[in-house]
Amino acid sequence: RGDVVAVRGPDQRLMNQVLRAIESIHAETSLDVDCSLGLLTRPQAEALRDAGVHHYNHNLETSRSFFPTIVTTHTWEERVETCLLVKELGMELCSGGILGLGETWEQRLELAYELRELDPDEIPLNFLNPRPGTPFGDLPVMSSADALRAIAAFRLAMPRTLLRYAG
């Protein structure tokens, strides 16, 4: 159903591969195509739209105030710009974040309201599953009660938006 890559944003080689894949998918199936390719320029977003991409996933990851603690390769504002561009060009937007990275409750609520401003069609709420040997491996697992509180807070902030959960 979609193309997902782990890059800052697609280079021309990757864009060409994705566009060819989208063309093949549309030629052989009736599937909607979703992509998650990182930060996009306007020409890249337009090319994806023109190729028939239905839905674009680009998570904010965390709140604006906590983002520099987690990501150093680009800014929170760059992520928002891609989200706004996707919506402006008429693709559906899927954008959410990861909870349990060490953020405060206030920062979780900040993320909920930042997402509400973006008005995505879907919000994935991912709960960190710390793995030994990773940068977040020593963080505690979020309790079930806190996960439910977070889900309730996001639901209150966005009562009609599709929420998806993963851990």
Side-chain angles (χ1 to χ4, degrees):
R1 177 172 168 183
D3 289 309
V4 177
V5 296
V7 295
R8 183 178 191 276
D11 60 16
Q12 191 57 52
R13 182 176 156 268
L14 178 58
M15 277 297 293
N16 291 340
Q17 289 174 335
V18 169
L19 294 171
R20 283 193 306 272
I22 293 167
E23 183 179 350
S24 295
I25 291 167
H26 284 152
E28 298 178 27
T29 74
S30 61
L31 294 174
D32 287 334
V33 175
D34 302 353
C35 288
S36 182
L37 304 171
L39 301 171
L40 296 175
T41 64
R42 178 171 288 278
Q44 290 171 328
E46 289 171 345
L48 292 171
R49 179 208 52 206
D50 294 347
V53 169
H54 170 74
H55 200 155
Y56 196 80
N57 172 260
H58 194 62
N59 292 332
L60 292 184
E61 306 304 1
T62 191
S63 66
R64 173 184 257 171
S65 68
F66 195 62
F67 191 89
T69 307
I70 303 302
V71 180
T72 58
T73 58
H74 55 278
T75 66
W76 184 88
E77 290 78 10
E78 287 174 300
R79 294 194 80 79
V80 169
E81 287 171 15
T82 291
C83 291
L84 293 173
L85 179 59
V86 162
K87 287 188 58 108
E88 175 190 331
L89 295 177
M91 290 179 272
E92 289 187 7
L93 175 64
C94 177
S95 185
I98 304 171
L99 304 179
L101 296 171
E103 74 281 352
T104 65
W105 270 103
E106 290 79 11
Q107 288 165 325
R108 290 177 189 158
L109 295 175
E110 179 186 346
L111 174 61
Y113 284 95
E114 289 162 344
L115 286 166
R116 186 172 81 172
E117 289 296 313
L118 280 179
D119 192 29
D121 298 280
E122 297 181 25
I123 297 174
L125 291 177
N126 301 288
F127 296 90
L128 180 68
N129 187 349
R131 293 289 176 214
T134 66
F136 302 108
D138 294 331
L139 291 175
V141 173
M142 183 184 289
S143 72
S144 298
D146 280 350
L148 288 173
R149 284 184 196 98
I151 290 168
F154 277 78
R155 174 51 66 219
L156 286 170
M158 292 153 288
R160 289 178 269 304
T161 304
L162 178 62
L163 300 178
R164 297 187 181 274
Y165 317 105

